[in-house]
Amino acid sequence: MEDSFRFNSEMQSTPRYNKTYSFAGKNPREISLVMDILEKHFHYTQRTTLNRMRQSINEQPNAFKILIACLLSLRTRDETTEKISEELFKIADTPQKILELPIGKLEGIIYSTGHYHKKALTLKHVSQELINRFNSKVPDTREELLSIKGIGPKTANIVLNFAFNQAVIPIDTHCHRIPNRLGWLRTKTPEQTEKQLEKILPKQYWLEFNGIFVLFGRTICTPISPYCSKCPVRKYCSRIDVTKSR
């Protein structure tokens, strides 16, 4: 079911490359410099709900909560994801408890995330699969995660990265759009972006890339009329397809 949500409206328009620029890519040293600057600019107290969920001080990240919060976050504002996830986990924080919730009550809890009926069915199905096939545990391989209907590449990578600390690159709309704007690569789909970033992004940044670029895309490097005047990496940006900025 996730594919019905993934990269929907924002992904329908791919970056256009202004003739003013010639695509030549960026060298690894410049990419590392940009990542270092952005990493200092966006610290963890500002990052997304899913990123903060992996920063447990006294315990391991809860893979099931991260998975469920990710499924709820699709096409949903981050503050809504955080609020509804916390409300849901007070009542049901295991696959079995999700299954025991009446569908109507589950839909009521997650209503404000949007697409609540489809999401409720997805949560029920994923929880049942975890119980039946994985002893109620979230699997820690991409292949096993993708074998569960409702879990797509983005969600799988978020779980592997945030819950299991694996070096993978979760790609959402910002993580696809901004590297193209910077001139790091030239891709048309999130899947292409993931493969290209694996080649050019130093591995030391893979764990942090999603959290940094999601916040960067929401606050400064917005899809329309980005805030170039206050961008900390403006001088390293090719500004591909930027026709108006603030």
Side-chain angles (χ1 to χ4, degrees), residues 22-215:
S22 60
F23 175 76
K26 298 287 183 179
N27 65 64
R29 290 183 63 183
E30 185 168 310
I31 291 175
S32 294
L33 180 59
V34 169
M35 291 301 302
D36 288 341
I37 293 171
L38 292 177
E39 196 167 40
K40 291 177 182 177
H41 192 84
F42 297 109
H43 48 78
Y44 263 104
T45 58
Q46 295 177 311
R47 297 204 188 167
T48 64
T49 298
L50 288 165
N51 271 269
R52 290 195 299 271
M53 287 178 73
R54 70 174 178 176
Q55 295 300 303
S56 303
I57 298 175
N58 299 317
E59 58 185 39
Q60 288 292 107
N62 187 311
F64 181 69
K65 287 185 177 180
I66 289 174
L67 170 59
I68 296 302
C70 184
L71 294 172
L72 290 174
S73 74
L74 300 170
R75 299 181 69 183
T76 303
R77 295 178 64 87
D78 187 60
E79 53 266 31
T80 302
T81 299
E82 182 172 26
K83 178 182 177 181
I84 299 307
S85 295
E86 289 178 355
E87 183 178 344
L88 175 61
F89 296 147
K90 288 177 182 177
I91 302 171
D93 59 356
T94 68
Q96 187 61 45
K97 289 179 181 178
I98 291 285
L99 283 186
E100 291 171 356
L101 269 183
I103 188 70
K105 185 172 183 178
L106 179 57
E107 289 178 348
I109 294 171
I110 69 173
Y111 178 82
S112 60
T113 67
H115 302 276
Y116 62 93
H117 181 65
K118 288 184 178 180
K119 287 183 179 181
L121 293 176
T122 297
L123 298 190
K124 290 277 190 181
H125 173 75
V126 168
S127 296
Q128 187 70 70
E129 286 284 275
L130 293 179
I131 292 171
N132 292 346
R133 298 173 53 203
F134 301 103
N135 194 30
S136 297
K137 304 294 183 181
V138 176
D140 61 359
T141 70
R142 183 181 174 93
E143 292 72 23
E144 288 176 316
L145 285 166
L146 291 177
S147 74
I148 301 173
K149 186 177 179 180
I151 298 179
K154 172 191 167 185
T155 296
N157 277 359
I158 283 178
V159 171
L160 295 175
N161 185 303
F162 297 175
F164 298 110
N165 208 39
Q166 293 186 25
V168 295
I169 310 176
I171 301 296
D172 78 341
T173 179
H174 304 292
C175 299
H176 167 65
R177 175 178 56 78
I178 296 174
N180 277 280
R181 176 176 284 174
L182 286 167
W184 288 6
L185 39 77
R186 187 172 185 172
T187 56
K188 294 182 178 180
T189 68
E191 291 76 17
Q192 292 174 357
T193 296
E194 180 183 348
K195 293 185 186 311
Q196 289 301 310
L197 283 174
E198 287 175 352
K199 296 176 182 178
I200 65 172
L201 182 68
K203 209 161 189 176
Q204 71 194 75
Y205 301 108
W206 287 19
L207 289 176
E208 308 298 337
F209 177 81
N210 178 273
I212 292 171
F213 271 58
V214 168
L215 197 55

Side-chain angles (χ1 to χ4, degrees), residues 212-226:
I212 292 171
F213 271 58
V214 168
L215 197 55
F216 184 36
R218 289 176 178 175
T219 59
I220 296 176
C221 197
T222 52
I224 300 172
S225 190

